[in-house]
Amino acid sequence: MQILDELEQTTLYQQIGARTMPQQDYQGTAEGWAQAVARAIGYAKHRGISIHDLQAVIHQGGAPLRLAQLLPAYAMYQATLTQRGLLDYTDLILKALILLEQDEETRTHYQRQFSLIIEDEAQDSSRLLQRLLGLLGGAQPNLIRTGDTNQSITTTFSAADTCVIRVFLGEANLVVQMVYSGLCAPEVIAAANHWITVCQRVPGLETAFVPVAMRPIPGVNPSLDFPMTCRAYGT
């Protein structure tokens, strides 16, 4: 088995997108379709949704049109990996999970090997990684997770799920809130705090952000070269 790196994976998505783009009921571009294929496959694999699962949903009827259109791309992607003897990064997690879940000797070995597990950038974690950390930690995991609950680059990492860290914080024995940042100008921090407050008053976005007010570090934060302005746009 060989590992499919990100550049090769992007190329594969583009090739599959060009071969599976719907000829009807699709108004987007070929590039847009390839991106949709990448997001859909990443989402499905990180949530353990197999091709068979999707076929069953479509067979039962009532499935969205886009789901039926994306299924051939998912099937082609998985078939290509198998034919070429490739694993993508999600497969590495899935294979590790299968090994730890099914092989007690291996699971016990790694649980004894790690007395402490630390996960950084936990806001970009996924449900698969949550299961993996849980297996490594054992019955009483000593797990430390750091992350920004109001930050998640889900448009890049389609598997990122902010619910993972939020649920963890609700169950953790100890939560330490870090509210100081020296990475940006105080005006930027004030604007971010303001928009979090504004969003909490918008129907449907009440829980989109955790109400954490960031603070600058005296003498550390950079200054603005130009005045900053913010504007809200209606939808």
Side-chain angles (χ1 to χ4, degrees), residues 29-83:
T29 63
E31 180 180 2
W33 178 253
Q35 292 174 349
V37 166
R39 288 194 298 270
I41 293 175
Y43 182 94
K45 294 187 69 170
H46 267 275
R47 282 159 178 77
I49 304 173
S50 67
I51 296 171
H52 178 75
D53 295 332
L54 295 180
Q55 289 174 332
V57 172
I58 295 172
H59 180 72
Q60 292 171 1
L65 172 63
R66 188 66 73 237
L67 178 61
Q69 292 174 330
L70 284 165
L71 181 58
Y74 188 9
M76 187 179 298
Y77 175 81
Q78 288 299 107
T80 302
L81 294 190
T82 301
Q83 292 165 1

Side-chain angles (χ1 to χ4, degrees), residues 94-225:
L94 287 169
K95 297 298 183 183
L97 278 172
I98 293 173
L99 178 62
L100 292 173
E101 288 174 344
Q102 297 182 358
D103 191 319
E104 183 178 357
E105 182 179 352
T106 300
R107 183 172 64 250
T108 302
H109 168 76
Y110 283 104
Q111 287 174 347
R112 290 175 177 173
Q113 183 172 344
F114 302 113
S115 58
L116 176 67
I117 300 175
I118 301 177
E119 181 188 22
D120 194 17
E121 302 292 355
Q123 76 278 353
D124 296 323
S125 192
S126 67
R127 300 183 187 187
L128 282 186
L129 288 174
Q130 172 85 356
R131 286 171 55 195
L132 181 63
L133 293 176
L135 286 170
L136 291 175
Q140 295 181 321
N142 191 3
L143 177 61
I144 297 175
R145 310 178 85 171
T146 63
D148 183 348
T149 53
N150 291 336
Q151 174 199 128
S152 181
I153 46 180
T154 54
T155 56
T156 301
F157 298 134
S158 60
D161 189 344
T162 54
C163 291
V164 171
I165 187 173
R166 293 191 184 193
V167 170
F168 173 78
L169 291 175
E171 299 174 346
N173 295 331
L174 176 65
V175 176
V176 178
Q177 196 174 79
M178 297 179 288
V179 298
Y180 289 93
S181 174
L183 297 178
C184 53
E187 293 87 349
V188 175
I189 292 177
N193 291 337
H194 167 74
W195 289 112
I196 288 176
T197 302
V198 170
C199 285
Q200 289 177 318
R201 299 195 296 264
V202 176
L205 297 180
E206 297 89 348
T207 61
F209 295 97
V210 175
V212 177
M214 297 302 298
R215 302 177 185 176
I217 304 174
V220 174
N221 297 75
S223 58
L224 294 176
D225 291 332

